[in-house]
Amino acid sequence: MAAMHVSHGLYEAFLAVARAGSFTAAAHTLGYTQSAVSRQVQSLEDEMGAELFERLPRGVRLTEAGRVLLPHAEAVRDRLAAARAELASLRTLDGGLLRLGAFSSATASLVPRAQAAFRARHPGVVVTRVEGPSVKHLGLVAAGEEDLAVVGPAPAAPPPPGVTLHHLLDEPMLVALAQGHPHAGRRAVRLAELADEEWIVGHERLEDTLFRPAVAAGFRPRTGLLAHDWIAKLGAVAAGLGVTLVPALAAASVRRDVALVTIHPDDVPYRRICAAAPSAPTVAATAFLGLLRETADELIPPTRS
Amino acid sequence: MAAMHVSHGLYEAFLAVARAGSFTAAAHTLGYTQSAVSRQVQSLEDEMGAELFERLPRGVRLTEAGRVLLPHAEAVRDRLAAARAELASLRTLDGGLLRLGAFSSATASLVPRAQAAFRARHPGVVVTRVEGPSVKHLGLVAAGEEDLAVVGPAPAAPPPPGVTLHHLLDEPMLVALAQGHPHAGRRAVRLAELADEEWIVGHERLEDTLFRPAVAAGFRPRTGLLAHDWIAKLGAVAAGLGVTLVPALAAASVRRDVALVTIHPDDVPYRRICAAAPSAPTVAATAFLGLLRETADELIPPTRS
DNA sequence: CCAGATTCATGCGACAAGCGAATGTCTAGC
DNA sequence: GCTAGACATTCGCTTGTCGCATGAATCTGG
């Protein structure tokens, strides 16, 4: 177990001396005295077990060992400088990595818009995005494997320790009908008008968004059909098998042969969308969170409290 | 002017903590106490201006900055280890560079043999060889730009400061005659028998090797022809234009239509061949010097004092 | 041939950095 | 609510490092 207490000053002194060709001159450029440089070089020589400089009456000259050590010392100095620069660029958002998570339908417009704005302002930051269910993202943020996540449909349980939820927006739901449906042309419907419809849901238990307002409207929706992704859901709607709820932000990506109808403000279901950030968020994560808020306010102005 | 007194211990502690995932465990593997590791990491964090670890109730976890720093710290550690290894291999002659110099005719057999032996024993050492006049090599060795040089024909001046000469051998000279010459078949000649010959010399002033024994033999050689290289010299001899002296070690590389005749021991000219080494020679230079001595003794046993 | 100047090495005193031991603080788990 | 585990902090003390001054060796100019 050798190599203890080896300070970088030793290598800096070595490099300065190698560059200047003299202890005294190197000491002057380093702001030290000549004796300090002399002893630093001696320490490094003891440490390395070899003479690094040949002492001449008029300065010093690198020995073979010194010539061998020189490129290594330069590489170490440069590498440390690179590390410092990279850390600094991390602070100023000129570099670094932002690991993002989002549930599937958040990637329709909210996350991509914020991501585009972020890319425009901080082109040096690499952004990775992973889709998946919200619960999974909450765990990843808690585990420190994601820096920020957009979660929605499961704020029921309290967030894991070390994760704080930031409310982004409450997304109104639209109802999707087949084009030939009687209500297809209307501007807005009451939820009660759809009490006899067959509702196509994703996960039976998670469709809290539907059930709560429906019960408030006085009926319990029939949920015979289960479809796990949007393709299947809207395909079933288009085929006239039933109706379903579509989040407003995903409206643009709905197929043409499906009609979207607004729900009356008094009983429109809302989906609460949050961002999950660790207790000590990254600079990039904080910046992205701000952009997420701006994007959310642009898409759906925060009229509700 | 930041970054003062940054010891490597900080990076070693950082790496150990990143590896162990805990200050306490890292302290145990490092042989330090937990408080020491805690402060070392804090020092590095202050130095870098960023938190490197996220403190959790059950250990620590790398932050973004820590993840960025980690590969740099590993690279620095590995580079320093490589430097140490290379310096060690320098000591044990398993690596390094030996910059050799030699005057032209020493490269006929003496230097190549020693070089072959050196290569066999220390294959890791790279050997570079430069040919040139002896005076030039003395200057290069003095200037530290060559590690060892084989010099011969100019030991008249004292060696430059910082250079010591090591006697290798005294090389007897042969006389080269055209094949049809009356003395061509003899085993040995007296120098006086060649008093009427035309002598072909290289540099008029430097042919001390010829003049001193000739004057001792009672004549002053006629030196009408000047030839600067061996090709021209021996070509002139073969053409019957005159005779010349050839060092014994170069005998094997003489063209066939030139006869070489030994000179009588009482008045044979000798050429003193030395090795020029710096005052503080490299390990490789010292080893090579030993092999030069061995090779010299094999080629011409040191019968003379 | 000798004195001045330059350069590196070294002894000395003072200051600060770093370590160990002990204590404080916070969180998880029973 | 209490104990155990992990990091942070405080307190002396050792140790390393710096600056100042001096010494030894060498080149240079008269």
Side-chain angles (χ1 to χ4, degrees):
Chain A
M1 291 304 169
M4 320 218 71
H5 296 133
V6 190
S7 86
H8 277 298
L10 271 59
Y11 290 95
E12 287 184 23
F14 168 70
L15 288 168
V17 171
R19 183 173 184 77
S22 137
F23 283 20
T24 309
H28 196 262
T29 70
L30 288 173
Y32 286 157
T33 37
Q34 171 263 332
S35 72
V37 175
S38 173
R39 266 175 305 222
Q40 285 192 3
V41 170
Q42 245 182 10
S43 294
L44 190 59
E45 284 175 333
D46 293 348
E47 176 62 34
M48 293 297 168
E51 296 259 312
L52 298 175
F53 292 103
E54 198 176 339
R55 271 70 166 181
L56 303 175
R58 220 67 181 175
V60 297
R61 191 168 56 199
L62 281 173
T63 64
E64 167 83 8
R67 281 190 296 273
V68 165
L69 183 59
L70 184 57
H72 294 287
E74 286 174 340
V76 166
R77 164 173 56 74
D78 294 347
R79 189 73 194 237
L80 289 177
R84 279 192 171 74
E86 195 169 344
L87 259 58
S89 80
L90 210 67
R91 267 192 301 279
T92 61
L93 284 178
D94 291 323
L97 172 68
L98 175 60
R99 301 165 302 176
L100 217 57
F103 66 96
S104 304
S105 39
T107 64
S109 75
L110 175 63
V111 174
R113 287 203 188 196
Q115 202 169 337
F118 187 85
R119 185 190 194 87
R121 296 196 199 179
H122 312 296
V125 180
V126 177
V127 179
T128 67
R129 177 152 56 87
V130 174
E131 301 181 13
S134 297
V135 203
K136 173 188 166 194
H137 288 306
L138 287 175
L140 287 176
V141 171
E145 295 175 24
E146 272 181 5
D147 300 314
L148 191 67
V150 179
V151 297
V163 176
T164 60
L165 290 178
H166 303 263
H167 177 247
L168 289 179
L169 59 84
D170 289 312
E171 187 182 8
M173 305 299 282
L174 308 178
V175 65
L177 312 166
Q179 281 291 12
H181 193 280
H183 295 326
R186 297 182 49 188
R187 287 198 51 188
V189 295
R190 302 294 307 228
L191 213 52
E193 299 178 83
L194 302 166
D196 297 330
E197 299 289 337
E198 179 88 11
W199 289 87
I200 305 164
V201 296
H203 293 281
E204 203 168 2
R205 294 176 50 205
L206 298 181
E207 285 282 347
D208 200 27
T209 319
L210 167 63
F211 276 90
R212 216 177 320 159
V215 181
F219 71 99
R220 187 185 175 284
R222 288 189 296 145
T223 60
L225 261 73
L226 284 175
H228 290 297
D229 54 70
W230 287 104
I231 308 289
K233 253 184 181 169
L234 293 174
V237 170
L241 296 178
V243 303
T244 192
L245 289 180
V246 172
L249 294 182
S253 56
V254 161
R255 50 191 288 182
R256 290 233 168 80
D257 53 358
V258 164
L260 292 178
V261 179
T262 311
I263 302 177
H264 189 278
D266 285 351
D267 48 17
V268 55
Y270 282 95
R271 190 168 71 162
R272 182 183 182 81
I273 294 188
C274 297
S279 328
T282 305
V283 185
T286 309
F288 199 94
L289 180 56
L291 289 178
L292 274 175
R293 283 210 176 91
E294 288 182 21
T295 309
D297 293 352
E298 284 173 17
L299 289 173
I300 296 180
T303 52
R304 287 163 45 93
S305 63
Chain B
M1 292 300 170
M4 321 219 71
H5 296 132
V6 191
S7 85
H8 277 298
L10 271 60
Y11 290 94
E12 287 183 25
F14 168 69
L15 288 168
V17 171
R19 185 173 183 75
S22 138
F23 283 19
T24 309
H28 197 260
T29 71
L30 288 172
Y32 286 156
T33 46
Q34 172 262 331
S35 74
V37 175
S38 173
R39 264 172 313 196
Q40 286 192 2
V41 170
Q42 243 180 12
S43 295
L44 190 59
E45 284 175 334
D46 294 347
E47 177 62 35
M48 292 300 168
E51 295 258 313
L52 299 174
F53 293 102
E54 199 175 337
R55 271 71 166 180
L56 303 175
R58 221 66 178 175
V60 296
R61 190 168 56 199
L62 280 173
T63 64
E64 168 83 7
R67 280 190 297 272
V68 165
L69 183 59
L70 185 56
H72 293 286
E74 287 173 341
V76 166
R77 163 171 57 73
D78 294 348
R79 189 74 194 235
L80 289 176
R84 280 191 170 76
E86 196 169 345
L87 285 172
S89 80
L90 208 67
R91 267 192 301 279
T92 59
L93 283 178
D94 291 325
L97 172 67
L98 174 61
R99 300 164 303 175
L100 217 57
F103 66 96
S104 304
S105 40
T107 64
S109 74
L110 175 63
V111 174
R113 285 204 191 195
Q115 203 170 335
F118 187 84
R119 186 192 193 84
R121 295 196 200 178
H122 312 296
V125 180
V126 176
V127 179
T128 67
R129 175 151 55 87
V130 174
E131 300 182 14
S134 296
V135 203
K136 173 188 165 193
H137 288 307
L138 287 175
L140 288 176
V141 171
E145 296 175 22
E146 273 181 4
D147 300 315
L148 191 67
V150 179
V151 296
V163 176
T164 60
L165 291 178
H166 303 264
H167 178 247
L168 288 179
L169 57 86
D170 290 311
E171 188 181 10
M173 305 297 282
L174 308 178
V175 64
L177 312 165
Q179 282 291 11
H181 194 279
H183 296 325
R186 297 181 49 190
R187 287 199 49 189
V189 296
R190 300 297 305 232
L191 214 50
E193 299 179 85
L194 301 166
D196 297 330
E197 300 289 340
E198 180 86 15
W199 289 87
I200 305 161
V201 295
H203 294 283
E204 205 169 359
R205 295 175 50 204
L206 297 181
E207 285 283 345
D208 200 28
T209 319
L210 167 62
F211 278 90
R212 214 177 320 159
V215 182
F219 71 100
R220 185 186 177 285
R222 290 190 293 144
T223 59
L225 263 74
L226 284 174
H228 289 297
D229 54 70
W230 287 104
I231 307 289
K233 253 183 182 172
L234 293 175
V237 171
L241 297 178
V243 303
T244 192
L245 289 181
V246 171
L249 295 182
S253 56
V254 160
R255 49 192 287 181
R256 290 235 168 82
D257 53 357
V258 165
L260 293 179
V261 179
T262 312
I263 301 176
H264 189 278
D266 285 351
D267 47 19
V268 56
Y270 281 96
R271 190 169 71 162
R272 183 184 181 80
I273 294 186
C274 298
S279 326
T282 304
V283 185
T286 309
F288 199 93
L289 180 56
L291 290 177
L292 275 175
R293 283 211 175 91
E294 288 183 20
T295 310
D297 293 354
E298 285 174 16
L299 290 173
I300 298 181
T303 53
R304 287 164 44 91
S305 60

